[in-house]
Amino acid sequence: MPDLTPGLRAELARIAGPDALLTDPADCWPYGYDNSRRQALPQAVIFARDEAQIARLVRLCADTGLPLIARGRGTGTTGATVPDRGGIVLSFERMDRIRRFAPEDRLIIVEPGLTNARLQQAVGQAGFFWPPDPTSAAVCTIGGNLAYNSAGPRAVKYGTPRENTLGLRAVNGTGAIFQTGVLTTKGVVGYDLTRLLIGSEGTLAIITEATLKLTPLPEAKRTLRAAYTDVHTAARAVSALMAQPVLPCALEFMDSTAIALARSQSELDLPQDTGALLMIEVDGPASCIDEAQKAVVEAARLSGLLELRLAQTAAEVAALWQVRKALSPALRQIAPKKINEDVVVPVSQLGKFVDGLTQLGQESGIRIVNFGHAGNGNLHVNLLIDPDDPAQVERAAQCLEAVFALVLRLGGTLSGEHGVGLEKRAFVGKELDPIALDLMRAIKSQFDPQGILNPGKTLPLA
Amino acid sequence: MPDLTPGLRAELARIAGPDALLTDPADCWPYGYDNSRRQALPQAVIFARDEAQIARLVRLCADTGLPLIARGRGTGTTGATVPDRGGIVLSFERMDRIRRFAPEDRLIIVEPGLTNARLQQAVGQAGFFWPPDPTSAAVCTIGGNLAYNSAGPRAVKYGTPRENTLGLRAVNGTGAIFQTGVLTTKGVVGYDLTRLLIGSEGTLAIITEATLKLTPLPEAKRTLRAAYTDVHTAARAVSALMAQPVLPCALEFMDSTAIALARSQSELDLPQDTGALLMIEVDGPASCIDEAQKAVVEAARLSGLLELRLAQTAAEVAALWQVRKALSPALRQIAPKKINEDVVVPVSQLGKFVDGLTQLGQESGIRIVNFGHAGNGNLHVNLLIDPDDPAQVERAAQCLEAVFALVLRLGGTLSGEHGVGLEKRAFVGKELDPIALDLMRAIKSQFDPQGILNPGKTLPLA
């Protein structure tokens, strides 16, 4: 990477505008990490203000070879925003306005730095929501959600950002500003660049504006908890729930390791021999919610169901979610480090997958805890390790490779919603078709001929 | 285009395999048209059999410069499959198998030549459907649906092929076979080539297999017909219907010109002063359908509503649809030629758009009849003309340009579901951002460096 000469620094300051450039390492450090616990020092941080400023910055980077990394709030888990090759971090935290809200057309046009929570608040007042709801919704940004196609539990019914974005504005790696997509829910003029940019982790272009498709808020929601003897029964229930017309708006799963962990932390009001747990939510018009609940209860009721509880009050809902909520603090307490993998297998393979994980855990001596979005087959596989034990770290790395191999053998994919970044870069070549990967690389070099946009992320190194 | 020398013809025969090559012009003519009424003679027709055969054929075309045009059943309306530059038409009518049906994973893997109707029949028996339902569903193929991102009325609730396809296999313009996407409803590894190919009209790659996401069949459906005094009231009703949580599964529109036309053909049981008509369908669990109906009735009931009729029996449903069904034969009878445009405007602009069309009709003396998928803002604008009247043909061309300009002024798009092909190629440059268009052209030359895949279609000529 090129040095930040005084001349270059002065040019960055001119482009950044007043109070929008950081170059002191002490100021820059906080913009060099994400939730992967990786960290690297950016050479400078610039606060994005508008498209023209971003285009000028991209051109300077393309001329000088400085890497440029767009960043929301650093909640990503893959190191995708960590400037491991130095360069400029372009923080979107100040570029967070709502540009236009058109409830009559069910759309909103926003800047990428807007947080998911503020978006939901703004559109919620008019009776709408934007379906993607990552766990980090309180702080994560729309730009980040689009970069990783981040979804969350509601995706099982309402889809991911790819199904809920109408168009984008962006700046490519030569500093050219362009617009993709439409303002409408149908449109087939030209190639679909909107979805090409979504999930590309800032490697093809820097998104400067997004037109989001909104959905009317459901009137009512019901929460159920189903305890099963074992994971195979639970997996069959997932298939049954997904095959009937009342699609759950959340269908979350915990395996026996996750239940045991939650149980170790607090008294759980759950049958002793529970081997797998499903949390099921349905939403819809208030007048239909009883019937909707009946339909999912019927689908969930298989031989092997130990207990089915319904919540109706807010307190009852909280009580049912208690097992799941107890999990994250428990994970943090018992293991100094967890490797949290975000893999997906076809729903029919969930049982086989969890069996395989159990075996891998036994073989490697690594404790593996599994939970996640079962309706999409999207499991978060957590390997709990002590980072100060080099032998365990080594075994965990081998175990992780075996987990990925198992996922691919079962017809799955290595990331459902966290993306690739640096963490999975070495593995995705095993999933991607080699010709498709060549085509992706060609697209990358065409959108970003100098290779300055988030270099080395997302695609495996050549 | 290169001549079909005896050597080339022999090579084509070897690649085609037994009984799979046509070269006699009399045999080839039927494969040279589509529903745009354009027609051109292909130099040869080959019946697709499998991926390996297609890859060999693409390599031969790339070596010799012969254009290669994939074709389903020729129901497209834009000339996208018409071999206007000669070359080989690759017909998929024999490559129509279901490769794998996995109801427990809600997916089916099919060959592109399968018709939409046969797909629906196969998955319907297991309680599922594939949402895209073009009017031509009885004969059109899945490959064609993917090529144009063709949707139909159900898209308003269930989305287009882009939202209902998980992955593809395809052959690019160098004859390389590749796989895109996943078997699951979440996945963010690599760039989204699946959606890039969908809607690209066979110009980037030839699709050889599609993995389709299925949806459980709703148990019940209700049909309503709402007659309004004028288009503005109807447009407000569309916004209101789309803003409440019981999304209609069809929301079709007819303006006063369409009603007048239908009335001219048959006795219609409809209030005399009806200025705009909505057909509204809701579906869902049988136990909720009364309440769902109530919700849409409430949203549809605005001042300016003349009559709202509900159908409950099949006969009543047929009676309500009678006005809409009377339209197509009427159009065919009264005008020797109609220019059927498939444009989209934001729902809030529907009233303004129809007003503008009325004015354009008056100014040009062209009769314009409008109906379509109002929930998506997708109107089919029909210009009725006599092709033997050169002055009228000339005025219609000018009028059409003005229609497109109006669509773009209102924030719309020039095609919702029919695509671009040859018909709109000259116009889409007005919609597409010039930088985005450059990026699309670069993608095209990268997927198809020799420019042999459906040359001259979809993107404006350079």
Side-chain angles (χ1 to χ4, degrees), chain A residues 292-361:
Chain A
Q293 179 183 294
K294 240 187 252 173
V296 297
V297 164
E298 207 167 296
R301 213 181 274 294
L302 303 177
S303 139
L305 176 71
L306 294 172
E307 184 198 61
L308 187 70
R309 290 226 193 157
L310 315 176
Q312 296 207 341
T313 67
E316 286 169 14
V317 169
L320 286 196
W321 277 106
Q322 182 223 347
V323 186
R324 175 67 185 78
K325 302 260 164 168
L327 208 52
S328 294
L331 279 170
R332 243 173 266 131
Q333 267 184 38
I334 66 157
K337 182 173 159 79
K338 65 170 188 197
I339 301 175
N340 173 359
E341 280 314 326
D342 156 55
V343 294
V344 194
V345 295
V347 165
S348 67
Q349 304 300 306
L350 275 174
K352 232 185 261 180
F353 182 48
V354 174
D355 281 351
L357 292 171
T358 307
Q359 202 188 327
L360 287 174

Side-chain angles (χ1 to χ4, degrees), chain A residues 101-129:
Chain A
F101 177 28
E104 68 285 6
D105 291 319
R106 285 183 43 183
L107 64 85
I108 189 165
I109 303 179
V110 305
E111 292 179 345
L114 184 71
T115 63
N116 186 296
R118 281 195 42 225
L119 168 72
Q120 306 294 359
Q121 199 181 358
V123 302
Q125 291 168 349
F128 294 98
F129 70 110

Side-chain angles (χ1 to χ4, degrees), chain B residues 100-434:
Chain B
R100 190 180 143 215
F101 176 28
E104 66 286 6
D105 290 321
R106 283 183 45 181
L107 64 85
I108 190 166
I109 302 179
V110 304
E111 293 179 344
L114 185 70
T115 63
N116 187 296
R118 280 196 44 225
L119 168 73
Q120 307 294 359
Q121 199 181 359
V123 301
Q125 290 168 349
F128 294 98
F129 70 109
W130 191 56
D133 61 337
T135 315
S136 54
V139 286
C140 68
T141 65
I142 301 305
N145 298 169
L146 297 172
Y148 310 121
N149 200 34
S150 310
R154 281 199 297 236
V156 68
K157 177 168 180 178
Y158 295 104
T160 71
R162 282 197 180 119
E163 287 82 36
N164 290 285
T165 306
L166 300 173
L168 300 170
R169 287 183 70 83
V171 180
N172 75 0
T174 68
I177 299 169
F178 63 103
Q179 168 108 35
T180 74
V182 286
L183 292 174
T184 55
T185 48
K186 274 187 185 170
V188 60
V189 169
Y191 304 147
D192 187 351
L193 301 186
T194 305
R195 272 87 169 189
L196 188 65
L197 295 190
I198 295 175
S200 68
E201 304 187 344
T203 62
L204 295 179
I206 294 184
I207 295 171
T208 58
E209 180 184 282
T211 302
L212 307 175
K213 177 183 154 190
L214 302 175
T215 301
L217 277 169
E219 287 174 345
K221 186 158 80 172
R222 288 288 165 77
T223 302
L224 298 91
R225 193 186 73 186
Y228 295 93
T229 50
D230 64 291
V231 63
H232 293 277
T233 314
R236 277 206 313 280
V238 172
S239 279
L241 283 158
M242 295 299 292
Q244 50 84 45
V246 182
L247 220 50
C249 64
L251 182 43
E252 299 291 296
F253 167 82
M254 288 172 67
D255 80 348
S256 59
T257 60
I259 297 166
L261 181 61
R263 218 190 270 282
S264 73
Q265 299 296 305
S266 54
E267 198 67 35
L268 293 184
D269 179 16
L270 191 70
Q272 263 312 320
D273 45 348
T274 302
L277 197 68
L278 294 181
M279 295 295 304
I280 311 162
E281 292 196 327
V282 282
D283 62 12
S287 56
C288 295
I289 201 72
D290 285 335
E291 295 296 335
Q293 179 182 294
K294 238 186 251 172
V296 299
V297 164
E298 207 168 295
R301 213 181 275 294
L302 302 178
S303 137
L305 175 71
L306 295 172
E307 184 198 62
L308 186 70
R309 289 224 193 158
L310 314 176
Q312 296 205 344
T313 67
E316 284 168 15
V317 169
L320 286 195
W321 277 106
Q322 182 223 347
V323 185
R324 174 67 185 76
K325 302 260 163 166
L327 209 52
S328 292
L331 279 170
R332 243 173 265 130
Q333 268 184 37
I334 65 159
K337 183 173 159 75
K338 66 170 187 199
I339 301 175
N340 173 0
E341 280 314 325
D342 156 54
V343 294
V344 193
V345 296
V347 165
S348 67
Q349 305 300 306
L350 275 175
K352 232 185 262 181
F353 182 48
V354 174
D355 282 351
L357 291 172
T358 307
Q359 203 188 328
L360 288 175
Q362 283 162 357
E363 284 168 12
S364 64
I366 306 283
R367 189 163 176 189
I368 305 181
V369 175
N370 307 299
F371 55 92
H373 315 304
N376 301 107
N378 184 195
L379 282 207
H380 296 308
V381 175
N382 295 270
L383 277 62
L384 307 185
I385 55 173
D386 176 356
D388 296 331
D389 176 348
Q392 200 185 41
V393 169
E394 170 64 24
R395 285 203 313 278
Q398 287 166 1
C399 179
L400 195 60
E401 268 205 66
V403 170
F404 290 155
L406 177 62
V407 166
L408 295 179
R409 236 177 10 252
L410 296 175
T413 175
L414 298 183
S415 179
E417 54 184 9
H418 292 178
V420 173
L422 294 168
E423 292 286 333
K424 286 191 182 168
R425 188 178 61 184
F427 300 102
V428 294
K430 293 184 182 169
E431 171 173 344
L432 293 171
D433 177 285

